Amino acid sequence: MAHIHLEDGSFSLVWVIVWWTAAIILIGISLYLLRSGKKTDSRKITIAAFCTAAAFAIFQVSIPVFGGVHLNLTPLIGILTGPAIGSLVVLIINILSAAIGHGGWSMIGANTLVNITEVLVASSLFSLLGKITQSPFARAATATFAGLVCGNIVMVGIILVSGVQGVTQSPTQILAGLSLIVAINLAVAALEAMVTGFVVTFLYRVRPDILGGKQENPGR
Amino acid sequence: MSATMISQHIPDLDLITSYAERQDSFFSRVSPWTKLGGLVLVILLITVTRNLEICSTLYVAILAMYYLAGLPVKKLFAWYSLPVIFVLSLVGLLAWSEPGTPIFSCAVTGVTIALTDNGVLLIFTLLLKALISVTYSLFFLMTTKYEHFAGMISRIFPSPLDQIFLMAYRFLFLTLAMTGAMLKAVRSRGGGLVHSTRVQGRIFAEVFALVFIRSFERAERVHKAMIARGYRGTFGAGTAIPRPGLSGYGVLGAFSLAIAVIVWMVPNTGGW
Amino acid sequence: MTVIRRDPHAPHCPPIDRERELIHVDCASHTYPDGSVGIHDMCFFVLKNEIVALCGPNGSGKSTLIEHLNGLLTPSEGDIWVNGRSITSGEQTDLWKEVGVVFQRSDDQLFAPTVLDDVMFGPLNMGMPVEEAKAAAMEALEAVGAADLVHKLPNYLSGGQKRLVSIAGILAMKPKVMALDEPTSDLDPVHASRIEHLMTDLKERFSISVVIATHDLDFAARIADRVCLVKNGSVFAEGIPAEVFYDAELIADAGLKVPQIVRVYLEYCGLHGIEPHEHPIRVEELLAVLRNKPYRGNKRNLV
Amino acid sequence: MTVIRRDPHAPHCPPIDRERELIHVDCASHTYPDGSVGIHDMCFFVLKNEIVALCGPNGSGKSTLIEHLNGLLTPSEGDIWVNGRSITSGEQTDLWKEVGVVFQRSDDQLFAPTVLDDVMFGPLNMGMPVEEAKAAAMEALEAVGAADLVHKLPNYLSGGQKRLVSIAGILAMKPKVMALDEPTSDLDPVHASRIEHLMTDLKERFSISVVIATHDLDFAARIADRVCLVKNGSVFAEGIPAEVFYDAELIADAGLKVPQIVRVYLEYCGLHGIEPHEHPIRVEELLAVLRNKPYRGNKRNLV
Ligand SMILES: Nc1ncnc2c1ncn2[C@@H]1O[C@H](COP(=O)(O)OP(=O)(O)OP(=O)(O)O)[C@@H](O)[C@H]1O
Ligand SMILES: Nc1ncnc2c1ncn2[C@@H]1O[C@H](COP(=O)(O)OP(=O)(O)OP(=O)(O)O)[C@@H](O)[C@H]1O
Ligand SMILES: [Mg+2]
Ligand SMILES: [Mg+2]
């Protein structure tokens, strides 16, 4: 959910180019990793495509709490597909979102950076936590929340560094303004952590193989 | 009206695509590449300018194109709601205390903050820019055939990004329909109406988990079906995309020139 | 009784029997956002204690009509009355308690972690305490013959089992009307006949009216009290199966094919120079006719 | 010719006719990762130029067998020979060119942006240049009668149209064997009979052998040259439809139900004291029998 909900024209051209370049470099690294590793696994591609579609579809659902909340489930994508494919998936989701007006085209670079942070943090924390706790709920919820917190930090950082065109406030003033948004984002992040926790728990019961676990003949 | 919980304020992909397929206005016949070039230039222009007149003119022009193409204007305004909220929620916070003549002020825990004329102008300009981008994007989507988009995707993006993108584009319709159907099923048994946040969260988590699981299983089956026809990690969209004509290049060239002139002449541009 | 053909220009279809009428769809139309017509000038009713079959080709609007019956979709024109109250007025928020819908794909319907959770979902939403809901769920599962599945995960059930569980999920809420969308399309004959018995059971034991959308005319012929032929989004003719299925022109009009039994009987009559006025529509009935005496195994009057 | 029942303890099933045999499944077993048995000791063959129907209840292993035929799954035990080469040895990587599979759900099969792209996908993978692939695709679409859909989006097709397009996608690759999994389950009678004609066309015009998995025995009876009954993951009996469907015990054993035509005929014979040796299995045949002369409308010998 930690999305920069800035539309086109908010950043100046220099910063648009900077964030786009940074994102393209990260995507390039992901592509390189994917292509150099063995042969490209066509099954992974199909699954990534479906994750993209599923995440986008879920974003369209408005959950009737707090007057309607939309979830992005970016950390879940990280947990399910890993960092490399996850990065590609969030790029595509951002392009699709821009196409329907949710976030500007020039913001895709910055948004992708934020989402890649979430993907990276959530997926690595999720596998790290596997050594500490067995509870999929705890692992997923913690990883998700941490991922979203980091995403928020990156988001605030990006806005502070680039500034919003026309806003003449000092970084401190901007930070004060942003803190409110961060607070709201964190509340939603808590909800998203809970939902991701449930999703992963459910996945563990029904399709443990998706999460890299062993299928142990459940309830047949 | 439908009772599903798929949000009404989010552009409906089915609707967008069916417009793109059915429309046969002048704009539908313009080369998709020309329209893509136009998108890049529009975004460039609103990135470098802060001039209200230029933004207003551009907005009116794009809205006129949208209207002339026979696209649904009422729907467009409904779809504006989220972008507008995005702009207001962020810039609405930052626009306070801009230098200028205060229009409205209030005291929050001892600190007085004021909304000045410049602040209002800022909000207004950014809002306008957002609407320009949204309107042009939807105009682009709704006047360009799906097969042409597919062709552009397979030409622009490197593998395997293009593969994921192309398949995701097709699967989107399936997952949207699936999500919609599941939510309908929840609704038809009285779910999702009155409950605690916790219960609500759990029901939605279950539905979302299923969307992912089904998507996974679907992906596996689709992949099998592709393997059964010899898939080895590459497929492309075969449709030829109409190239821009002379007039297409002309329009793009003129637009670029205009941007150059604007950057050079008009104040409040070039926010380097 | 004869087949009633609906006048496509009639602006209204008044209720025919207010006493017995549970659902009355009065010239309702629904257009999907992308402009495709789901139903158009649809007139349809459901009486107490009957099994109605909606028969029509792919894309004729059967599923769309069914989603209107419990308010998942609302008509853009026309009106729908359930139990004497209009659903378009918006005051009807508990429609789901009265009309249960079993969707075309059971996969869409089962979302809870276990079968029991899923079947309990409706009763819990109706405000039953957990224990009571559990009892209702178990009862429903037993009624459909799937009590042994109670602790399984819906994901691991076969197609037929999923169908049974999704029917149980609706049955547990004890609605007045149950609408089932193509309940037998992917089932083998044994599972299908189990569902067939369940339908008649629902009517006889629980006094639930049943609406079934199907394009399997043989199936419709076996269980329906009344058949409505759907084409291009509206019911254009209806009647008892023995009449409807013997009207070859009507069936061809609907884009369907005459059931096998009917073909055999008609040819048989032609061959032996018999006047075809018996109208058997089920195998048992045909056999009874071949034996030259009316079949008495079921309670339906053969006109 | 009689019905052949397979000895469940036979360790092997040797090929019966090497010359004509396209596919030979030799006692293959497959267990899914979660431990459920897909097929077990399955013996099955497909000859040149024939239509084979796999009939069995839900979960009997029909789909699993079909996925073995073109190597999507490989048997954990036993062996499968296609065109005289073993698929388990791993040397057979272009199996998909010889055996085409149309899946149970056509939505799973249509993934490309447009119908043309989708039908061209197979030919392109076979190494055809684009123009040639396009021509092959158009030809296939014409053969199934869906040439007008060529520029549509798969998403906006009806169920029946999707099925036709997914068949075209396989047909365009001109395989030697085509396996279709429940091709008519969600289609209305008109669409279904179109597919039915297509099947016989495939055999007669293109000399493609066809394998069909179905639990619609009436459908199998109408088009199959040979019927294999599947239960618990193996073919336990097979024969020509006129024999298999007249073996009531066998059908009950398979967990299926005797087709309606058969029931009518048997009762009719019993009634008139006729020896039931004609074995009609299609409506036309039954009618011919009722007319007291053998039916000559099709080329099948009624034993
Ligand atoms: N979600 C939707 N969006 C747009 N159009 C739809 C949608 N659902 C159905 N339609 C269209 O509405 C019409 C009626 O469809 P419906 O699903 O009600 O038919 P049906 O009789 O149930 O067919 P089938 O036997 O194939 O299930 C069709 O033309 C279909 O294309
Ligand atoms: N992907 C899978 N994972 C685990 N078990 C499976 C899987 N697919 C099928 N099975 C199991 O294998 C057995 C055979 O299934 P299969 O799908 O081949 O049956 P079928 O004859 O095609 O049934 P239907 O008529 O319902 O399509 C069943 O017991 C089923 O539960
Ligand atoms: Mg339907
Ligand atoms: Mg199957």
Side-chain angles (χ1 to χ4, degrees):
Chain A
M1 192 62 197
H3 223 64
I4 306 185
H5 280 140
L6 278 178
E7 296 288 342
D8 280 313
S10 306
F11 287 178
S12 62
L13 189 58
V14 185
W15 288 110
V16 167
I17 294 172
V18 167
W19 302 128
W20 260 98
T21 313
I24 288 174
I25 290 173
L26 284 185
I27 294 293
I29 294 173
S30 301
L31 283 174
Y32 174 78
L33 289 177
L34 281 175
R35 291 209 222 178
S36 63
K38 300 147 259 147
K39 60 175 176 57
T40 6
D41 185 350
S42 58
R43 178 172 172 269
K44 269 193 187 160
I45 291 174
T46 326
I47 288 172
F50 257 107
C51 273
T52 313
F56 195 77
I58 282 172
F59 178 69
Q60 313 265 43
V61 178
S62 149
I63 304 181
V65 295
F66 309 150
V69 171
H70 296 259
L71 300 185
N72 253 354
L73 300 185
T74 325
L76 179 60
I77 291 169
I79 293 172
L80 289 179
T81 61
I85 288 200
S87 305
L88 304 187
V89 170
V90 295
L91 172 69
I92 296 172
I93 291 181
N94 276 311
I95 294 176
L96 289 172
S97 301
I100 61 168
H102 295 178
W105 290 96
S106 54
M107 297 296 144
I108 291 176
N111 278 332
T112 305
L113 288 178
V114 173
N115 290 151
I116 289 181
T117 312
E118 293 168 354
V119 163
L120 280 177
V121 172
S123 73
S124 44
L125 203 58
F126 183 77
S127 45
L128 268 181
L129 286 175
K131 300 197 177 84
I132 301 168
T133 166
Q134 282 305 307
S135 152
F137 185 92
R139 279 168 73 189
T142 318
T144 301
F145 195 74
L148 292 174
V149 168
C150 295
N152 260 294
I153 293 172
V154 172
M155 176 190 85
V156 171
I158 286 178
I159 297 183
L160 282 185
V161 171
S162 19
V164 175
Q165 273 202 82
V167 171
T168 49
Q169 302 181 4
S170 68
T172 352
Q173 278 173 309
I174 294 184
L175 191 59
L178 284 179
S179 56
L180 188 62
I181 291 182
V182 171
I184 294 173
N185 268 352
L186 288 186
V188 177
L191 181 73
E192 183 160 341
M194 194 175 91
V195 170
T196 308
F198 276 127
V199 170
V200 171
T201 312
F202 196 38
L203 280 169
Y204 251 103
R205 287 184 66 179
V206 184
R207 287 294 303 270
D209 53 316
I210 292 178
L211 293 154
K214 274 278 293 160
Q215 196 145 358
E216 12 74 39
N217 211 355
R220 219 175 241 279
Chain B
M1 198 217 74
S2 86
T4 55
M5 278 163 274
I6 299 275
S7 177
Q8 301 297 308
H9 298 292
I10 294 180
D12 172 355
L13 251 133
D14 262 327
L15 185 63
I16 287 178
T17 313
S18 68
Y19 264 101
E21 296 302 309
R22 277 185 304 172
Q23 288 292 311
D24 195 29
S25 70
F26 164 75
F27 296 104
S28 300
R29 277 170 277 132
V30 171
S31 161
W33 293 116
T34 310
K35 283 179 276 191
L36 181 63
L39 176 67
V40 174
L41 292 177
V42 165
I43 301 299
L44 181 67
L45 179 54
I46 58 178
T47 303
V48 297
T49 188
R50 270 180 322 200
N51 181 297
L52 192 61
E53 286 83 15
I54 292 175
C55 288
S56 321
T57 316
L58 189 60
Y59 175 64
V60 170
I62 291 174
L63 193 62
M65 284 197 329
Y66 183 95
Y67 175 75
L68 288 177
L71 303 175
V73 177
K74 236 167 90 183
K75 280 270 179 220
L76 180 69
F77 289 130
W79 293 338
Y80 278 166
S81 50
L82 276 179
V84 168
I85 291 172
F86 295 155
V87 172
L88 291 185
S89 64
L90 193 70
V91 188
L93 285 170
L94 299 181
W96 295 83
S97 312
E98 283 295 310
T101 329
I103 301 175
F104 172 84
S105 68
C106 67
V108 184
T109 59
V111 186
T112 307
I113 53 172
L115 192 59
T116 63
D117 53 352
N118 282 337
V120 173
L121 194 67
L122 176 67
I123 296 178
F124 198 69
T125 314
L126 284 177
L127 205 54
L128 211 48
K129 286 180 175 183
L131 297 189
I132 288 171
S133 152
V134 175
T135 314
Y136 190 88
S137 303
L138 290 169
F139 163 80
F140 187 18
L141 280 184
M142 291 164 94
T143 54
T144 307
K145 290 209 185 326
Y146 186 89
E147 49 182 343
H148 293 156
F149 271 119
M152 291 203 288
I153 290 170
S154 75
R155 283 169 182 72
I156 294 175
F157 293 98
S159 167
L161 197 53
D162 64 335
Q163 305 288 303
I164 300 179
F165 205 153
L166 278 178
M167 279 193 256
Y169 198 15
R170 156 86 179 108
F171 297 162
L172 254 179
F173 296 93
L174 297 181
T175 41
L176 277 175
M178 178 170 77
T179 316
M182 275 197 269
L183 289 172
K184 260 186 196 166
V186 170
R187 257 305 278 264
S188 77
R189 286 196 276 162
L193 296 172
V194 273
H195 281 299
S196 64
T197 303
R198 200 186 147 71
V199 173
Q200 203 73 277
R202 215 198 61 230
I203 292 173
F204 278 90
E206 279 164 5
V207 170
F208 292 168
L210 268 193
V211 169
F212 269 99
I213 293 170
R214 298 268 159 77
S215 298
F216 240 87
E217 288 175 344
R218 198 105 196 219
E220 283 168 342
R221 288 200 304 267
V222 169
H223 180 247
K224 257 188 196 170
M226 292 174 76
I227 291 288
R229 288 198 278 162
Y231 183 57
R232 262 156 292 145
T234 48
F235 86 88
T239 317
I241 305 171
R243 305 190 152 281
L246 216 55
S247 48
Y249 284 117
V251 169
L252 291 182
F255 196 8
S256 316
L257 201 68
I259 294 177
V261 171
I262 286 168
V263 170
W264 187 39
M265 310 260 304
V266 184
N268 265 342
T269 44
W272 297 97
Chain C
M1 168 153 184
T2 48
V3 174
I4 301 169
R5 266 185 189 259
R6 222 189 80 72
D7 170 13
H9 300 295
H12 272 294
C13 41
I16 40 163
D17 182 349
R18 274 184 203 282
E19 277 299 287
R20 290 186 60 208
E21 211 167 63
L22 283 174
I23 297 183
H24 181 79
V25 177
D26 183 3
C27 287
S29 299
H30 183 93
T31 307
Y32 283 99
D34 66 351
S36 50
V37 176
I39 56 176
H40 182 74
D41 261 353
M42 169 71 85
C43 293
F44 174 69
F45 59 92
V46 182
L47 301 183
K48 283 200 181 107
N49 228 22
E50 68 167 351
I51 300 183
V52 193
L54 287 164
C55 296
N58 289 124
S60 56
K62 304 182 293 295
S63 303
T64 309
L65 173 61
I66 283 195
E67 288 184 14
H68 276 79
L69 299 185
N70 77 341
L72 286 176
L73 295 175
T74 45
S76 36
E77 262 172 71
D79 208 342
I80 295 177
W81 305 77
V82 175
N83 253 340
R85 287 187 296 167
S86 158
I87 72 162
T88 36
S89 61
E91 61 188 39
Q92 269 273 37
T93 53
D94 51 357
L95 211 56
W96 56 274
K97 291 182 189 166
E98 317 208 340
V99 184
V101 170
V102 179
F103 289 81
Q104 193 159 358
R105 301 196 195 171
S106 21
D107 264 341
D108 293 338
Q109 191 152 346
L110 307 177
F111 58 88
T114 72
V115 167
L116 182 62
D117 286 333
D118 204 282
V119 179
M120 278 171 63
F121 179 73
L124 283 178
N125 283 331
M126 294 179 84
M128 283 190 203
V130 176
E131 280 311 309
E132 209 176 301
K134 199 174 262 175
M138 284 307 305
E139 194 192 338
L141 281 168
E142 251 150 47
V144 302
D148 52 325
L149 303 177
V150 66
H151 292 298
K152 299 244 166 150
L153 310 191
N155 227 44
Y156 291 115
L157 301 179
S158 80
Q161 292 171 330
K162 280 186 187 160
R163 185 71 69 179
L164 294 176
V165 171
S166 59
I167 294 177
I170 301 298
L171 195 57
M173 305 194 301
K174 302 235 168 58
K176 296 205 179 60
V177 180
M178 238 170 117
L180 300 103
D181 202 349
E182 316 262 1
T184 59
S185 65
D186 49 4
L187 299 184
D188 61 43
V190 171
H191 277 105
S193 79
R194 188 175 199 172
I195 301 243
E196 215 174 297
H197 286 130
L198 183 63
M199 305 286 95
T200 37
D201 246 34
L202 284 180
K203 180 185 134 186
E204 276 157 27
R205 279 179 44 202
F206 301 95
S207 288
I208 294 178
S209 292
V210 179
V211 179
I212 295 172
T214 185
H215 34 59
D216 181 349
L217 298 197
D218 293 292
F219 170 62
R222 284 196 296 273
I223 75 162
D225 295 314
R226 183 160 55 93
V227 176
C228 297
L229 294 181
V230 188
K231 190 177 68 172
N232 295 336
S234 58
V235 171
F236 77 104
E238 58 181 289
I240 59 168
E243 289 294 331
V244 171
F245 293 139
Y246 272 87
D247 194 334
E249 198 189 321
L250 202 64
I251 298 289
D253 236 25
L256 297 169
K257 295 197 146 191
V258 168
Q260 292 191 338
I261 299 299
V262 175
R263 272 182 75 188
V264 172
Y265 175 69
L266 288 179
E267 280 278 340
Y268 175 81
C269 289
L271 222 76
H272 291 71
I274 308 170
E275 196 59 30
H277 54 79
E278 297 250 24
H279 292 195
I281 45 168
R282 313 203 293 179
V283 179
E284 293 79 6
E285 291 168 4
L286 175 62
L287 295 176
V289 169
L290 291 183
R291 271 189 222 106
N292 269 329
K293 55 182 182 221
Y295 175 66
R296 304 201 191 282
N298 74 338
K299 286 164 242 138
R300 284 185 291 169
N301 55 329
L302 294 173
V303 186
Chain D
M1 169 153 182
T2 47
V3 175
I4 301 167
R5 267 185 187 258
R6 223 189 79 73
D7 170 12
H9 299 295
H12 273 295
C13 41
I16 40 164
D17 182 349
R18 274 187 203 282
E19 277 299 287
R20 289 186 61 209
E21 211 166 63
L22 283 173
I23 299 183
H24 181 80
V25 177
D26 183 3
C27 286
S29 298
H30 183 92
T31 308
Y32 283 100
D34 67 349
S36 52
V37 176
I39 56 176
H40 183 73
D41 261 355
M42 169 71 85
C43 294
F44 174 69
F45 60 91
V46 181
L47 301 183
K48 284 199 181 108
N49 228 22
E50 67 166 351
I51 300 182
V52 193
L54 287 164
C55 297
N58 290 123
S60 55
K62 303 183 294 295
S63 302
T64 309
L65 172 60
I66 282 194
E67 287 182 15
H68 277 79
L69 298 185
N70 75 342
L72 286 176
L73 295 174
T74 45
S76 38
E77 261 172 72
D79 209 341
I80 295 176
W81 305 76
V82 174
N83 251 340
R85 287 187 296 169
S86 158
I87 72 160
T88 37
S89 61
E91 61 190 40
Q92 268 275 39
T93 52
D94 50 359
L95 210 56
W96 55 274
K97 292 182 190 169
E98 316 208 343
V99 184
V101 171
V102 179
F103 287 80
Q104 195 158 357
R105 302 196 196 171
S106 18
D107 258 338
D108 294 341
Q109 192 153 345
L110 307 176
F111 62 90
T114 72
V115 167
L116 182 64
D117 284 329
D118 203 282
V119 180
M120 278 170 64
F121 178 71
L124 283 177
N125 283 333
M126 294 179 85
M128 283 190 202
V130 176
E131 281 312 309
E132 209 176 302
K134 200 173 265 179
M138 284 308 304
E139 195 191 340
L141 281 168
E142 250 149 50
V144 301
D148 52 324
L149 303 178
V150 66
H151 290 296
K152 295 247 163 136
L153 312 193
N155 204 47
Y156 291 128
L157 302 179
S158 79
Q161 292 172 329
K162 279 184 188 162
R163 187 71 70 178
L164 293 176
V165 171
S166 60
I167 295 178
I170 302 299
L171 194 58
M173 306 193 301
K174 302 234 168 61
K176 294 204 181 61
V177 180
M178 235 167 117
L180 300 102
D181 202 348
E182 316 261 1
T184 59
S185 65
D186 48 4
L187 298 184
D188 61 42
V190 172
H191 277 107
S193 79
R194 188 174 199 174
I195 303 245
E196 214 174 298
H197 287 131
L198 184 62
M199 305 287 94
T200 37
D201 246 35
L202 286 179
K203 180 184 135 187
E204 276 158 26
R205 278 178 47 199
F206 301 95
S207 290
I208 294 177
S209 292
V210 179
V211 179
I212 295 172
T214 184
H215 34 60
D216 181 349
L217 298 197
D218 293 293
F219 171 62
R222 283 196 297 273
I223 75 163
D225 297 314
R226 183 160 53 92
V227 176
C228 298
L229 294 181
V230 188
K231 190 177 67 171
N232 295 336
S234 58
V235 170
F236 76 102
E238 58 180 290
I240 59 167
E243 289 295 331
V244 170
F245 293 138
Y246 273 87
D247 194 332
E249 196 188 325
L250 202 64
I251 298 290
D253 235 25
L256 296 169
K257 294 198 144 190
V258 168
Q260 292 192 336
I261 299 299
V262 175
R263 273 183 75 189
V264 173
Y265 175 70
L266 288 179
E267 281 279 338
Y268 174 82
C269 290
L271 222 76
H272 292 72
I274 308 171
E275 196 60 30
H277 54 79
E278 297 249 25
H279 292 195
I281 45 167
R282 314 204 291 178
V283 179
E284 293 80 6
E285 292 168 5
L286 175 62
L287 295 175
V289 169
L290 291 183
R291 270 188 222 108
N292 268 328
K293 56 184 182 220
Y295 175 66
R296 303 201 191 285
N298 75 336
K299 286 164 237 133
R300 283 185 293 168
N301 56 329
L302 295 172
V303 186

